[in-house]
Amino acid sequence: MQQEQKKSEPQTESRNLHHEDLALKTAAQYFGEELMPLLGITGKAKYVAPTELIKLEARQMYQDFNYVSADNTWIHLEFESDSITTEDLRRFREYEATTSRTYHVQVITYVICSSQVRKPITKLTEGISIYRIKAVRLKGRNSDRLFALLEAKEKQGVPLEKEDLVPLLLSPLMSGRLTIGERIVKSLHFLQSAPNAVTKTELEKMQAVMYTLALKFLSKKDLGKVKEMIFMTELGQMLVDDGIEIGLAKGESKIVAMIRKKLAKGLTISAISEELELDGTYVKKVISLISEDASRNDLEIAEILISQN
């Protein structure tokens, strides 16, 4: 049973990341459609490009966002809350080189910095090679003024429009008195208070962008406060439901592992049912799934059982 559990652990961990991955993908799509022009990034994104690269040594390199532009140049976005270091530039250069060689494309890296990054390093010189990135800072944008403008509109009874809400998604990158976490929470409040300004689907995309920026820029402590608010939204409920399903499958897989162990010892269905105090029909179904495909692990069988309920 321990061996089976060990086999399932990497897959369980992968599934635990699924709900956040869903939010990240939604945010990537909306970021490319609506926010890149506001950041001054040239080139129109046609579609989201792969962000996970696997080299021969099987080391996975996870990038933030990649887009294919109209001229087939790739736009690579990275987010940095702290100063850009020489080691960061080496990492970005490696991303670019691997992407370029794998997909035979030109790549331009934009590093989206928070207002806390005062003097970003954008050039790396090693030997005769010079590598550059483009740093994007919203140093001229102030989140305090943005929030004040929207609050004034609300007090006057003027409904907020989509054009008012989209800049909120960049508030974590702006300057201002509030912390990044407080800006994200305040922006989420505005999004929630103007449900008629955008469609339900677009609202979920906006919330996904805010959630993604929270993951990129906040400490675990501050992230907890944002998650509390996110989980009160429809996007949050989707993430919670996904997490519950993962938890149920993990618990079910432990029962499957016990049945598998008893089966390997040669016990009959009735004997296993009696010993584990389980319904005979359930045990028979588990054994049938094990027999159908020997390559199935406990977690996969648990997921099948849950889907059939």
Side-chain angles (χ1 to χ4, degrees):
M1 183 175 73
Q2 288 180 341
Q3 289 180 344
E4 291 296 333
Q5 287 176 332
K6 286 180 180 178
K7 287 180 182 178
S8 68
E9 281 175 4
Q11 295 192 22
T12 302
E13 184 178 351
S14 175
R15 285 168 173 78
N16 285 337
L17 293 173
H18 170 70
H19 60 292
E20 288 191 356
D21 184 55
L22 180 63
L24 287 172
K25 287 177 179 176
T26 301
Q29 181 186 14
Y30 197 79
F31 208 99
E33 292 172 354
E34 299 287 345
L35 299 182
M36 288 203 320
L38 295 182
L39 292 168
I41 296 174
T42 57
K44 182 175 177 58
K46 289 198 299 184
Y47 52 87
V48 177
T51 56
E52 180 180 344
L53 303 174
I54 303 178
K55 295 177 66 178
L56 182 61
E57 62 189 39
R59 180 166 61 86
Q60 292 176 307
M61 297 186 289
Y62 293 99
Q63 303 168 75
D64 286 340
F65 294 162
N66 275 339
Y67 303 94
V68 179
S69 64
D71 63 358
N72 290 323
T73 297
W74 280 35
I75 298 170
H76 169 214
L77 303 187
E78 287 288 330
F79 295 85
E80 289 294 330
S81 58
D82 300 321
S83 299
I84 301 173
T85 66
T86 300
E87 196 56 39
D88 289 328
L89 293 178
R90 290 195 178 100
R91 176 163 52 90
F92 301 151
R93 181 179 61 177
E94 186 177 12
Y95 290 162
E96 278 195 24
T98 305
T99 300
S100 178
R101 186 170 184 181
T102 302
Y103 296 100
H104 306 286
V105 294
Q106 296 183 50
V107 184
I108 300 175
T109 296
Y110 293 84
V111 181
I112 315 299
C113 305
S114 72
S115 60
Q116 297 172 0
V117 180
R118 301 299 180 188
K119 295 181 179 179
I121 302 173
T122 60
K123 184 173 75 171
L124 174 68
T125 303
E126 291 190 326
I128 62 171
S129 174
I130 299 176
Y131 171 70
R132 299 177 189 273
I133 55 97
K134 293 189 175 182
V136 179
R137 292 176 59 229
L138 300 181
K139 57 184 179 180
R141 302 283 293 277
N142 187 285
S143 59
D144 297 336
R145 287 197 291 269
L146 174 62
F147 294 144
L149 177 63
L150 299 189
E151 286 169 351
K153 277 194 170 186
E154 285 186 333
K155 287 179 181 178
Q156 294 168 10
V158 179
L160 298 182
E161 306 286 342
K162 176 182 174 179
E163 292 72 20
D164 298 312
L165 300 181
V166 171
L168 286 170
L169 306 184
L170 299 178
S171 64
L173 307 174
M174 300 176 186
S175 60
R177 293 178 294 103
L178 300 178
T179 65
I180 292 178
E182 289 169 337
R183 278 179 244 161
I184 291 175
V185 169
K186 199 172 184 68
S187 296
L188 287 170
H189 274 300
F190 278 117
L191 293 178
Q192 289 292 92
S193 66
N196 298 323
V198 293
T199 64
K200 176 183 172 183
T201 300
E202 192 157 22
L203 178 61
E204 288 179 359
K205 289 180 179 180
M206 290 179 164
Q207 291 166 346
V209 170
M210 298 306 301
Y211 183 60
T212 300
L213 292 178
L215 291 173
K216 299 295 181 186
F217 290 123
L218 299 184
S219 64
K220 286 185 177 181
K221 180 182 177 182
D222 292 332
L223 182 59
K225 298 174 184 176
V226 173
K227 281 186 174 181
E228 286 179 10
M229 187 166 185
I230 282 285
F231 287 156
M232 292 189 292
T233 67
E234 292 196 29
L235 169 68
Q237 189 57 54
M238 178 179 66
L239 303 184
V240 169
D241 290 344
D242 195 32
I244 290 172
E245 186 175 329
I246 291 168
L248 288 173
K250 190 173 181 180
E252 193 97 9
S253 69
K254 293 180 180 179
I255 299 173
V256 173
M258 290 189 286
I259 293 174
R260 189 192 293 273
K261 185 176 181 181
K262 300 296 181 184
L263 183 64
K265 289 182 178 180
L267 272 66
T268 63
I269 293 175
S270 59
I272 295 173
S273 302
E274 184 177 347
E275 193 165 325
L276 297 179
E277 298 182 351
L278 294 171
D279 179 72
T281 304
Y282 173 81
V283 174
K284 183 178 180 180
K285 189 184 293 185
V286 172
I287 292 175
S288 175
L289 290 170
I290 292 173
S291 303
E292 281 176 7
D293 187 350
S295 68
R296 283 177 180 152
N297 61 40
D298 299 335
L299 187 59
E300 289 170 335
I301 292 173
E303 289 173 338
I304 293 172
L305 291 169
I306 290 172
S307 68
Q308 292 176 348
N309 290 338

